[in-house]
Amino acid sequence: MTQDTVRPSRPAAPAAPTAGWSLVLPLKPLPLAKSRLAPYAGPHRSDLALSFALDTVTAALATPGVARVLVVTPDAVAGARLAALGALVVADEPGGGLNRALAHGASAARALAPAAPLAALSADLPALRPAELARVLGSVPPDGRAFLPDSPGLGTTLLACTSGRPLSPAFGDGSRARHAAGGALELRLADVESVRRDVDTGADLSQAALLGLGPHTSALFARLNPS
């Protein structure tokens, strides 16, 4: 796929607060999640979607500066597994798609911690590293919104805002361009590939495996790739 035209970087801004972050992750009902993985994973597709979320939440909770992780999902099985890790599960998803779910989760996060900085994070980052996520969060300017593009350069894996600013999520195909057009700062950081490498296809998963998968996904990946 052709990447969007690279825009000049904006001047560096002071770093956002490095503590107290609320992270909101969306997760579809497992039978509906990660449909593009079906040719690769077959009947294990739902298991992979859950393993991605488990590894993403585990890494997010271990990230310096992250105070809470909220997962917006109506899936009772996934919710129970993620709650056992320490995530706060927002089960009353309003329907209407990904961005409504994220807005609902953001409202729940703001109700819990009104003054905390807030970020929406993809739930399919099985190679996520806490140190890299902490670096991304620390690069968010203190007076607005910022986002991190995904590895292909067309989508978004993280959208963040500081206290008093609306999150205004616009995820989905082409979200990099929409978030930029909406005034969010694009973060251009080296060595944070684990935060950018979301997984939608078998090829994506192979790329994530090169970075090093979390334990839940690693075990399933080994079963699917015995060679």
Side-chain angles (χ1 to χ4, degrees):
M1 288 184 286
T2 302
Q3 295 191 3
D4 295 345
T5 301
V6 175
R7 298 173 289 107
S9 299
R10 301 184 191 179
T18 56
W21 281 90
S22 298
L23 302 187
V24 178
L25 286 70
L27 181 62
K28 288 181 180 179
L30 293 178
L32 303 178
K34 294 297 161 192
S35 59
R36 291 171 61 190
L37 275 170
Y40 166 79
H44 301 289
R45 175 174 58 85
S46 294
D47 295 332
L48 270 179
L50 178 58
S51 73
F52 296 166
L54 291 169
D55 285 330
T56 303
V57 167
T58 297
L61 286 168
T63 299
V66 171
R68 62 199 62 82
V69 173
L70 293 81
V71 179
V72 183
T73 182
D75 192 290
V77 172
R81 294 285 304 276
L82 294 164
L85 295 177
L88 305 173
V89 176
V90 181
D92 58 336
E93 183 180 332
L98 172 61
N99 291 307
R100 285 197 64 190
L102 285 171
H104 182 62
S107 295
R110 286 267 162 84
L112 286 171
L118 173 66
L121 181 68
S122 296
D124 57 353
L125 301 171
L128 185 63
R129 298 290 180 266
E132 294 184 15
L133 178 56
R135 184 162 177 253
V136 173
L137 294 174
S139 299
V140 177
D143 57 352
R145 297 163 61 240
F147 71 96
L148 187 74
D150 62 9
S151 293
L154 297 175
T156 304
T157 57
L158 179 140
L159 174 69
C161 63
T162 48
S163 177
R165 296 284 183 169
L167 187 62
S168 301
F171 284 82
D173 292 343
S175 63
R176 177 187 182 187
R178 286 194 300 278
H179 285 137
L185 171 71
E186 180 172 323
L187 299 174
R188 292 185 172 86
L189 302 171
D191 301 322
V192 294
E193 187 59 23
S194 78
V195 197
R196 300 183 63 202
R197 180 68 278 172
D198 55 351
V199 174
D200 289 313
T201 66
D204 294 341
L205 183 55
S206 295
Q207 290 298 313
L210 295 176
L211 298 174
L213 298 169
H216 298 91
T217 307
S218 180
L220 187 50
F221 183 75
R223 286 170 53 198
L224 292 170
N225 299 271
S227 62

